[in-house]
């Protein structure tokens, strides 16, 4: 799964760089502006990262200014599932958009949701509370976790004929996904360190990564059976993890 996602990301990245050799970033932004008939000079894209059976999630905002990522404006926000009253995914999107737009109400000229009409509606709801009216579009992925479709805030699909526009959007979607997972796993690493998993002989950073990639969260590792743990680590380490987590 992780290999497939990495291959897809590398493929998008390669194609995007190829196009940029002939079309500079500002040109792609201008083409997107022409397609949507909107000022695309300051774009924000929102995404969330979380796994089932966990008690936390991270929401992120990635910013593109004049066709380039402005990493100084990237933001991440931790959300606790205990505070949610609705479907987790839509509530996370609402909280992420609300926090970012409350801090930077006048920055964005265009917003993308990594998601469909449900995620778009959450961003519009957050804007309504803040008295904003920034255009929102959604980027939908296919079953292979690759960019498939662009929709407007009414759910209408927008035909993209310019390949450089498509790969520009795909690159943004890959970037926000990467940034969300980075901060989600950073918190999960901290959970594992605080619970002394790293004190087990045979467990280092690489093993932690393998465990998190397979189980998704420390909570899922705690709930794992011995047989499930042995699919990721050797039997000796699996037994030690199993005994430690069952005491937590």
């Amino acid at each position: 799964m992780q290999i497939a996602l990495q291959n897809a990301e590398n493929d998008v990245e390669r194609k995007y760089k190829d196009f940029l050799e002939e079309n500079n970033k500002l040109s792609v932004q201008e083409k997107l502006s022409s397609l949507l008939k909107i000022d695309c000079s300051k774009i924000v894209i929102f995404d969330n990262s979380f796994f089932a059976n966990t008690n936390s999630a991270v929401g992120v905002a990635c910013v593109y200014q004049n066709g380039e990522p402005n990493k100084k404006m990237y933001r991440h926000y931790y959300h606790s599932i205990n505070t949610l009253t609705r479907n987790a995914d839509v509530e996370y999107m609402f909280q992420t958009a609300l926090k970012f737009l409350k801090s930077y109400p006048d920055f964005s000229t265009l917003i993308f949701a990594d998601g469909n009409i449900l995620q778009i509606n959450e961003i519009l709801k957050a804007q309504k509370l803040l008295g904003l009216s920034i255009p929102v579009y959604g980027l939908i992925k296919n079953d292979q976790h690759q960019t498939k479709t662009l929709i407007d805030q009414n759910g209408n699909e927008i035909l993209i004929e310019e390949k450089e526009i498509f790969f520009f959007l795909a690159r943004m979607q890959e970037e926000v996904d990467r940034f969300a997972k980075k901060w989600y796993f950073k918190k999960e690493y901290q959970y594992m360190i605080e619970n002394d998993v790293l004190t087990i002989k045979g467990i280092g950073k690489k093993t932690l990564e393998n465990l998190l990639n397979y189980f998704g969260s420390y909570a899922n590792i705690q709930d794992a059976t011995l047989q499930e743990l042995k699919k990721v680590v050797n039997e000796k380490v699996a037994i030690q993890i199993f005994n430690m987590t069952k005491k937590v």
Side-chain angles (χ1 to χ4, degrees), residues 40-233:
C40 298
S41 60
K42 296 178 181 178
I43 300 172
V44 178
I45 179 169
F46 295 122
D47 191 18
N48 305 303
S49 184
F50 67 99
F51 287 83
N53 303 318
T54 63
N55 62 359
S56 66
V58 62
V60 298
C62 288
V63 172
Y64 281 72
Q65 197 163 356
N66 296 324
E68 296 187 271
N70 181 353
K71 295 189 177 183
K72 291 182 179 180
M73 284 291 295
Y74 281 21
R75 295 292 183 270
H76 68 279
Y77 308 97
Y78 287 118
H79 308 306
S80 173
I81 199 168
N82 296 325
T83 65
L84 306 183
T85 58
R86 303 180 295 142
N87 176 275
D89 191 43
V90 296
E91 179 69 17
Y92 292 145
M93 185 60 73
F94 170 75
Q95 294 292 342
T96 300
L98 185 65
K99 289 177 179 179
F100 182 88
L101 295 173
K102 186 175 181 180
S103 297
Y104 308 100
D106 301 320
F107 177 81
S108 314
T109 59
L110 172 63
I111 296 173
F112 285 110
D114 187 329
N116 57 32
I117 193 67
L118 295 177
Q119 283 72 33
I120 289 175
N121 287 338
E122 292 305 306
I123 297 173
L124 292 173
K125 178 183 175 182
Q127 288 199 67
K128 186 175 181 179
L129 287 177
L130 299 171
L132 303 174
S133 57
I134 304 165
V136 183
Y137 290 79
L139 289 169
I140 300 174
K141 294 176 180 175
N142 59 21
D143 293 337
Q144 286 73 48
H145 209 66
Q146 299 169 324
T147 303
K148 175 186 176 183
T149 306
L150 173 66
I151 61 172
D152 65 19
Q153 57 194 50
N154 296 312
N156 300 313
E157 183 175 341
I158 298 172
L159 179 63
I160 302 175
E161 296 180 341
E162 298 263 8
K163 288 185 178 180
E164 54 265 53
I165 294 177
F166 179 83
F167 288 120
F168 176 65
L169 296 175
R171 179 65 186 89
M172 282 199 298
Q173 195 168 25
E174 292 290 349
E175 173 67 0
V176 77
D177 182 69
R178 177 200 66 79
F179 190 62
K181 285 182 169 56
K182 168 189 172 182
W183 285 101
Y184 179 83
F185 282 121
K186 185 173 182 179
K187 188 169 186 178
E188 289 300 323
Y189 281 136
Q190 190 62 39
Y191 284 153
M192 296 178 80
I193 292 170
E194 289 174 353
N195 285 280
D196 297 327
V197 175
L198 277 178
T199 63
I200 296 175
K201 187 176 181 179
I203 288 188
K205 183 178 180 181
K206 184 62 178 178
T207 303
L208 285 179
E209 290 177 354
N210 291 338
L211 286 165
L212 283 175
N213 283 333
Y214 187 86
F215 292 104
S217 70
Y218 180 68
N220 288 343
I221 295 172
Q222 285 182 293
D223 294 335
T225 65
L226 181 58
Q227 292 303 315
E228 289 172 331
L229 290 168
K230 286 165 64 176
K231 293 179 181 178
V232 185
V233 296

